[in-house]
Amino acid sequence: MNLELTEEQKLIQETARQFAAERLAPIAARLDLEGDRESFLANLKELACLGFMGLNVSQTYGGSETGSVAFSLAITELARACASTAVTVSVNNMVCELIQSVGSEEQKQRYLPRICSGSYPAASFALTEPGAGSDAAALATRAEPDGAGWRLSGTKVFITSAPYAGVFVVWAVTDPAAAKGGGISCFLVEAGTPGLVVGREELKTGQRASATNEVLLENCRVPAEALLGRLNDGYRIAMSELAGGRIGIGSLALGVGLAAMDFATSYASQRVQFERKLVEFEALQWMIADSYTELEAARLLLMNAAFRKETGKSFAKEASMAKLFASDAANRACYKAVQMLGGYGYTASYPVERFARDARITSIYEGTNEIQRLIIAREVLRSFS
Amino acid sequence: MKILVCIKQVPDMESRFKPDSAGVWYSDTDLAFRMNEYDEYAVEQAVQLKEQLGGEPEVVVLSVGPDRVVEALKKALAMGCDRAVQVQDPAAHLKDPWQIASAIAAYAKGENFNLIFTGLQSQDRGSAQVGVTLAEILGIASVTTIVGFEYADGSVTVRRELEGGLKARVQLKTPALVTCQLGLNVPRYPTLPNIMKAKKKEILTLPVGELLHEEARSVTASFYAPPKKSGGIVLEGDVAVQVDQLLDILRDKTTVLR
Ligand SMILES: Cc1cc2nc3c(=O)[nH]c(=O)nc-3n(C[C@H](O)[C@H](O)[C@H](O)COP(=O)(O)OP(=O)(O)OC[C@H]3O[C@@H](n4cnc5c(N)ncnc54)[C@H](O)[C@@H]3O)c2cc1C
Ligand SMILES: Cc1cc2nc3c(=O)[nH]c(=O)nc-3n(C[C@H](O)[C@H](O)[C@H](O)COP(=O)(O)OP(=O)(O)OC[C@H]3O[C@@H](n4cnc5c(N)ncnc54)[C@H](O)[C@@H]3O)c2cc1C
């Protein structure tokens, strides 16, 4: 048993922390309030140059080969400063890992260096549809054979990074006659492909600097080489890659929760009411104790899932547990952080209201926490049947 | 050309420090360590010079200390140094600057470095002696507190910071040693692939006993937090008078109005 990070992991954590403090934190509130896509993308480009877009990707394809533990550490540090940046980095990494695990040699050589180097500002994972959210296998986007290639038609919603993504991984039904989930395939669609239309951007509660859009596929023609992975294997690919992505989302939640609690604790160490510092009241001490305990537990669950992934063990159940617990813990910590600041916590003069809004989505995207429980229960019950 | 960069690993300065059990230094349990800030400028400048000269110079980074300093050495390797030397000393914190400089000199003597970069001082001890003492032992020229650095044809031109915001240009021939100050450059972030590649670079471990035969010339007798001062200065009276008093204080006691 060894819970010590390696020197490389510590250096990656330190680099992420320093970048987050120096580049992300100073503008995070402004990006949230006003949006400033240019600055947002400029930071993403720099993060790409430092190697944060393909942490778990082979150096042959321009990745950093740091492993999943370092990925978790990096996302947590970025999220302490700017959750919008962190989610973009997390999704880019998920897309990279997906291409690396099921892509052809040509696909890997074509797309991975572009995402890793930042020559594509981002990459998108286009699974969700109006009629297929939690029930992803119910998706209705069709891919029909068209000459040598495919013709895609359908509507995707809630697609992170769509306006600036260089490439989209799109799920579509290739065999409508197959049993549910059995006839879905995965395609790589480049931005600018005729028929791929980036639609309305959602106005969101939090993570507002990161774009979330509708993506329409209107008779969008793609060549045969666009098929990613095996035909009709798309649903399995989505589920297995989302498991890795959940480590990213849990790590993001942890970063936001820690940022909120660190801020609130330091605030309450100075604020005086009733002639005493707020932290001298037991009511606040319990909030501090509970939150840090839960966040520490979240960190350990995340490290365990990441370590299992990195060492080639099964990790889907552990990733779901980590995502479920970390996102709930972060939401509770943010709620308490706002409470600890009193009225000031409810205003944009302090960052905790932003943290609270940013944390909210972590129990929803990449599988709601109800869906995480279904996954965990299914895995647990398997060993009882 | 051969370049040496001397770096120290220091605690995160935001930490809460407690005396160690002997009461002569801080206790290092529960502290997070990183590269001394001034040494990052030294590493950056050495790597920039290597890049300026098309990669020709060999840049060696050295640190005296316990095994945890390997992390700082790896950071320097990830930033672009070629190989590292750990002068292994679990009790480096008990050595005085003379001993640290002597140990480094014992290594550097045989290596004939053309240029040595060190930080101006360490953030924890702050003696600012190791760099200049090392230059003296090696019998080479040295300049402290540099905020600008140029190199051409065996000759170094540096800018130094003087009191009151004045600057001076100083020229010296190699071999030479410079100590680096804030403002010299902006240290790069090590890239993640370079952090991983640094694993493959050589890190030589030399026990301090093989290099150091000097006695300490000074010892830290005790380490303690000063008694807490109560209150601050409270300005009173007419607002205009208070503003004048405040300006006087800022002018005398700080650098913000210089
Ligand atoms: C900001 C943001 C970014 C996103 N980014 C992406 C992206 O990049 N790519 C992408 O493909 N998608 C993305 N999504 C979509 C996201 O993954 C879905 O919103 C999520 O999976 C939930 O689907 P839904 O919104 O349709 O909710 P629904 O599926 O309608 O769920 C509504 C509620 O019902 C519950 N529920 C549903 N089924 C069950 C069940 N069987 N048992 C118990 N409870 C159930 C859910 O847990 C939830 O509480 C994003 C969403 C947001 C808001
Ligand atoms: C949107 C908004 C509208 C408002 N409108 C008005 C208005 O119209 N008129 C007006 O006068 N005020 C108004 N307020 C102020 C509001 O009533 C105060 O913010 C509130 O009473 C809390 O005070 P505080 O913000 O100074 O927090 P603090 O008093 O600093 O409290 C911070 C935290 O410490 C806790 N705490 C403090 N003392 C103790 C204790 N002894 N034991 C345990 N815990 C303690 C608090 O419960 C809280 O969690 C408004 C505030 C907001 C945000």
Side-chain angles (χ1 to χ4, degrees), chain A residues 7-8 10-12 14-15 18-19 22-23 49-52 55 59 63-66, chain B residues 33-35 40 67-68 70-71 74-75 78 189-197 199:
Chain A
E7 277 147 359
E8 286 72 27
K10 284 190 213 163
L11 286 174
I12 290 165
E14 181 188 315
T15 303
Q18 201 186 339
F19 187 90
E22 292 173 357
R23 304 295 172 86
C49 292
L50 291 173
F52 283 97
L55 280 119
Q59 296 202 358
S64 303
E65 277 182 42
T66 65
Chain B
F33 284 85
R34 46 161 298 163
M35 194 191 303
E40 293 202 349
D67 288 343
R68 63 170 153 73
V70 170
E71 187 190 336
K74 283 189 173 172
K75 178 169 185 182
Y189 300 109
T191 72
L192 274 42
N194 284 346
I195 289 173
M196 301 312 285
K197 284 177 194 152
K199 266 205 235 196

Side-chain angles (χ1 to χ4, degrees), chain B residues 159-198:
Chain B
R159 268 185 307 119
R160 292 193 63 230
E161 216 165 52
L162 310 180
E163 276 303 302
L166 295 171
K167 300 247 162 52
R169 269 181 66 228
V170 181
Q171 288 178 312
L172 60 167
K173 291 245 171 292
T174 57
L177 179 147
V178 294
T179 76
C180 303
Q181 162 71 316
L182 169 78
L184 175 62
N185 53 41
V186 181
R188 68 195 64 195
Y189 300 109
T191 72
L192 274 42
N194 284 346
I195 289 173
M196 301 312 285
K197 284 177 194 152

Side-chain angles (χ1 to χ4, degrees), chain A residues 87 91 94 123-135 156-161 169 171 202 204 206-207 210-213 242 361 363-371 374:
Chain A
V87 71
V91 171
M94 178 167 63
S124 281
F125 187 96
L127 177 67
T128 305
E129 299 184 2
S134 297
D135 189 7
K156 297 288 174 180
V157 288
F158 294 138
I159 305 310
T160 298
S161 304
V169 179
W171 278 262
E202 301 291 346
K204 306 195 295 291
Q207 305 198 355
S210 146
T212 310
N213 291 60
L242 279 169
I361 185 63
S363 63
I364 298 171
Y365 61 17
E366 296 203 14
T368 65
N369 282 5
E370 291 71 35
I371 298 305
L374 295 186

Side-chain angles (χ1 to χ4, degrees), chain B residues 29 58 80 109 117 119 124 144 155-156 160 174 195 201 208-210 215:
Chain B
T29 42
E58 181 187 37
K109 255 180 199 136
F117 292 88
D124 58 352
T144 56
S155 166
V156 171
R160 292 193 63 230
T174 57
I195 289 173
K201 293 186 179 177
V208 69
E210 289 179 13
E215 294 296 317

Side-chain angles (χ1 to χ4, degrees), chain A residues 239-280:
Chain A
M239 292 308 113
S240 81
E241 295 305 322
L242 279 169
R246 281 167 194 145
I247 296 176
I249 299 310
S251 308
L252 183 154
L254 171 62
V256 176
L258 285 170
M261 252 310 128
D262 287 352
F263 189 93
T265 306
S266 125
Y267 174 91
S269 307
Q270 283 157 32
R271 166 82 167 164
V272 173
Q273 288 288 276
F274 302 102
E275 292 90 45
R276 288 206 264 161
K277 290 183 177 154
L278 290 182
V279 285
E280 292 172 31

